[in-house]
Amino acid sequence: MNRLNWYHAIIAWFAENAVAANLLMAVLLAGGLFTAFTIKKEIQPRVEINYVDVSVPYLGAAPEEVEEGVCVKIEEAIQDLEGVEEITCTAREGVGNVSVEVNPDYDVPEVMDTIKIRVDSISTFPEETENPVISRAQFEQPVMWVSVYGDVDERTLKEFSKVIRDEIVALPEVTRAEVLGGRPYEISIEVSEFSLERYDLTFDEVAQAVRRSALDLPGGKLTTEGGEILLRTEGQVYHGPDFERLPLRSLADGSRLTIGDVATVVDGFADTDQWSRFNGRPAALVQVFRVGEQSALAVAAEV
């Protein structure tokens, strides 16, 4: 019997057995309704991430100092752990990030606990570092872009896009959003050779003064009857006028020589070719992500 005859036979059988046909239709409808409410709707298939991230802030430090003082010590502490597949370290100005890939045959939370114990036991971090932050990398997926654009100056556009970003993150269904596009902020300190000679300074002295003064420092703790009080000196600065007031040295007449006396501080943007436009106007982009088990449709609808 060929395939066509088989089809005819099946149709004829169901035509003669209406109860069986109706029962099959009911099962298919019930299965479809059940699946409609339980099926996961994804932009792309979910990928399980077997990575543990270790971040150590080292404010005021150059990338070379971060690599030597943070990254190398973390690598040496965890490189012999079972389950560690690969270690990748990124040293940037003011922070060191170590990404640890865990072997799929090992339990990620158990390996992460072991990594935390090893990292917390490192006693040779520089004094200026803050407490390590250890977390498991989460599955993130872009959901949508929000364009913020208009005929305004670059700083106004960037600051307003941050306000929009904060409002989006405050929505119940949204966990993460970030601002993209446009040039990054940059504060440049332009030191003149005449000023260095006038005050008998070197460029390295100016650089060291900025590193020494423009950072937050832990000051230990006080133990009282009511508990422990953490001491901390907050000296990190973020704006041009604050950098101008940073002290360089004390003069013979009792006054202070500051960065603003020997240098021009420019609070602006990095000199790059990076730019973005929307409908022919300057724009900044807010990229919205779904994190973990969040629904992409729910995040998009909320935004």
Side-chain angles (χ1 to χ4, degrees):
M1 184 181 293
N2 58 34
R3 182 177 297 178
L4 184 61
N5 290 335
W6 271 106
Y7 291 156
H8 289 166
I10 293 174
I11 294 172
W13 188 88
F14 275 109
E16 295 174 358
N17 297 272
V19 175
N22 291 332
L23 182 61
L24 177 62
M25 181 181 65
V27 171
L28 292 176
L29 289 175
L33 290 174
F34 175 78
T35 304
F37 292 101
T38 58
I39 190 171
K40 288 188 176 183
K41 305 173 184 65
E42 303 282 359
I43 299 175
Q44 294 178 352
R46 177 180 173 83
V47 179
E48 192 65 32
I49 301 178
N50 296 326
Y51 283 87
V52 175
D53 293 330
V54 182
S55 178
V56 180
Y58 187 2
L59 301 180
E64 294 82 2
E65 296 172 317
V66 174
E67 179 182 10
E68 182 179 351
V70 174
C71 295
V72 173
K73 293 177 181 178
I74 294 178
E75 290 176 351
E76 292 175 347
I78 65 176
Q79 62 183 355
D80 61 334
L81 288 179
E82 291 188 9
V84 173
E85 187 87 1
E86 184 177 358
I87 301 174
T88 304
C89 180
T90 304
R92 298 197 302 269
E93 184 175 351
V95 65
N97 294 307
V98 178
S99 178
V100 183
E101 182 181 359
V102 180
N103 190 300
D105 297 332
Y106 286 79
D107 185 60
V108 177
E110 290 184 3
V111 177
M112 185 172 70
D113 290 340
T114 308
I115 292 174
K116 179 174 175 58
I117 293 173
R118 289 284 187 93
V119 173
D120 288 342
S121 64
I122 298 175
S123 60
T124 56
F125 280 143
E127 294 182 0
E128 294 80 6
T129 58
E130 298 185 0
N131 293 331
V133 178
I134 302 170
S135 60
R136 181 176 180 178
Q138 290 185 311
F139 178 77
E140 296 180 346
Q141 193 174 71
V143 173
M144 64 190 307
W145 299 78
V146 178
S147 295
V148 184
Y149 67 101
D151 295 322
V152 295
D153 62 89
E154 191 172 4
R155 184 177 296 275
T156 300
L157 183 63
K158 201 171 187 68
E159 290 299 323
F160 188 71
S161 63
K162 289 183 178 180
V163 174
I164 299 297
R165 186 269 316 274
D166 294 341
E167 293 180 355
I168 290 175
V169 173
L171 297 173
E173 294 290 340
V174 181
T175 300
R176 180 169 177 260
E178 63 180 31
V179 177
L180 301 176
R183 297 183 296 171
Y185 287 121
E186 180 181 86
I187 295 179
S188 60
I189 300 176
E190 302 172 356
V191 185
S192 69
E193 186 176 350
F194 173 77
S195 297
L196 293 179
E197 294 178 353
R198 177 184 178 186
Y199 293 103
D200 192 23
L201 289 169
T202 64
F203 183 81
D204 288 339
E205 286 182 283
V206 177
Q208 287 296 331
V210 174
R211 293 195 187 102
R212 182 176 62 252
S213 301
L215 51 82
D216 297 335
L217 289 175
K221 60 184 178 181
L222 292 176
T223 303
T224 67
E225 294 181 356
E228 293 183 347
I229 301 175
L230 296 179
L231 302 179
R232 183 176 181 81
T233 301
E234 295 185 352
Q236 181 67 46
V237 294
Y238 300 96
H239 304 288
D242 297 328
F243 277 94
E244 291 178 349
R245 290 190 289 267
L246 292 179
L248 272 172
R249 64 169 59 158
S250 296
L251 300 178
D253 60 0
S255 61
R256 291 194 309 173
L257 183 67
T258 64
I259 296 293
D261 294 327
V262 300
T264 301
V265 179
V266 181
D267 192 345
F269 296 88
D271 186 14
T272 67
D273 295 331
Q274 187 176 353
W275 57 273
S276 59
R277 289 184 173 271
F278 182 80
N279 285 345
R281 297 181 179 180
L285 304 174
V286 180
Q287 189 175 23
V288 185
F289 297 83
R290 61 168 288 265
V291 179
E293 299 296 332
Q294 290 178 335
S295 167
L297 294 180
V299 171
E302 189 75 20
V303 173

